[in-house]
Amino acid sequence: NAQGLDPDELARRAIERRAIEAVNWGMSAVNTDLMLQEMLTKTAGKINAVIYWSRPLDWHNQTLTPNPDVIYLMAFFDTKDGPMVIEIPPADDGVINGSIMDPWQAALEDVGPAGVDKGLGGKYVITPPGYQGAVPDGYIVLPSDNYLGYALLRSILKSGSDADVKTAVAYGKRIKLYPLDQAANPPETVFVDALGAVYDSTIPYDVSF
């Protein structure tokens, strides 16, 4: 060829291009899995429970875009056993901003005052792929093409004072997460404080990707 490249070098360059394409394509899903694995291995958090940070984030939280002036809550859910409900409280003595996402970090919907419930609070039900069952009235239905997903939620601080941090944490714990088939008598939502855990979901741009 014009560049004098041998077939092995052409093949190497093709593989390199495909690797870059794979990283660009898979970045969001890999980041989701890294956050999930950090929860499962660095905290007592489980699927279908909520982890949160009881103080604004510090260096222990090595996520991609941490915000140091809110209280973070994260709920990983799995709908293989049926739809899951996430209840967002109304914006009264607090505010929740955030999104419910699939594993590709594509938002199923935003929640809170800037989301579907418009700050009135709402019961969001995430349904599994191909779900044909009924959903009772009063729910915001979010069909998903994936079983796994997560909600990234922020309880907004009025200030950084200890009292306002405590209030924002308490407000965040008004979020509920439970299976739709237990909606008549929902189990208590499990909250796990991840404060102090080295929570590293930064993406490794090497062969380990």
Side-chain angles (χ1 to χ4, degrees):
N1 60 66
Q3 295 184 19
L5 298 176
D6 62 36
D8 288 345
E9 175 64 12
L10 289 172
R12 188 198 66 77
R13 291 190 179 193
I15 290 170
E16 184 178 89
R17 287 195 300 272
R18 296 297 182 268
I20 292 170
E21 290 170 3
V23 168
N24 288 336
W25 174 77
M27 192 183 301
S28 55
V30 167
N31 180 237
T32 296
D33 188 61
L34 285 167
M35 291 189 292
L36 172 60
Q37 298 307 322
E38 288 294 282
M39 178 190 75
L40 294 174
T41 60
K42 301 289 185 62
T43 79
K46 303 293 183 185
I47 298 287
N48 296 338
V50 179
I51 63 168
Y52 72 101
W53 284 261
S54 57
R55 299 288 304 174
L57 300 185
D58 61 17
W59 69 268
H60 290 84
N61 190 297
Q62 295 290 314
T63 48
L64 296 183
T65 56
N67 185 329
D69 54 8
V70 298
I71 294 298
Y72 273 97
L73 304 99
M74 187 181 297
F76 282 91
F77 54 82
D78 189 336
T79 61
K80 282 186 178 179
D81 293 329
M84 293 294 297
V85 177
I86 297 179
E87 285 193 26
I88 301 298
D92 41 39
D93 59 346
V95 176
I96 294 291
N97 285 335
S99 301
I100 301 172
M101 292 178 278
D102 72 9
W104 296 97
Q105 299 192 24
L108 300 175
E109 282 294 357
D110 294 334
V111 305
V116 178
D117 62 86
K118 305 298 183 185
L120 301 177
K123 298 179 179 180
Y124 294 80
V125 57
I126 304 99
T127 59
Y131 183 72
Q132 298 295 321
V135 173
D137 291 340
Y139 288 82
I140 300 165
V141 181
L142 306 182
S144 179
D145 293 332
N146 303 269
Y147 292 108
L148 185 73
Y150 74 102
L152 182 61
L153 307 169
R154 306 166 189 85
S155 184
I156 305 304
L157 291 171
K158 293 180 180 177
S159 81
S161 72
D162 287 346
D164 282 344
V165 167
K166 186 176 180 180
T167 296
V169 169
Y171 179 77
K173 286 188 173 181
R174 290 169 58 185
I175 294 166
K176 297 179 181 179
L177 174 63
Y178 55 85
L180 178 63
D181 63 10
Q182 297 182 44
N185 186 24
E188 187 172 341
T189 301
V190 175
F191 289 89
V192 174
D193 190 356
L195 189 70
V198 178
Y199 197 91
D200 185 2
S201 59
T202 51
I203 294 174
Y205 292 110
D206 57 28
V207 71
S208 68
F209 184 95

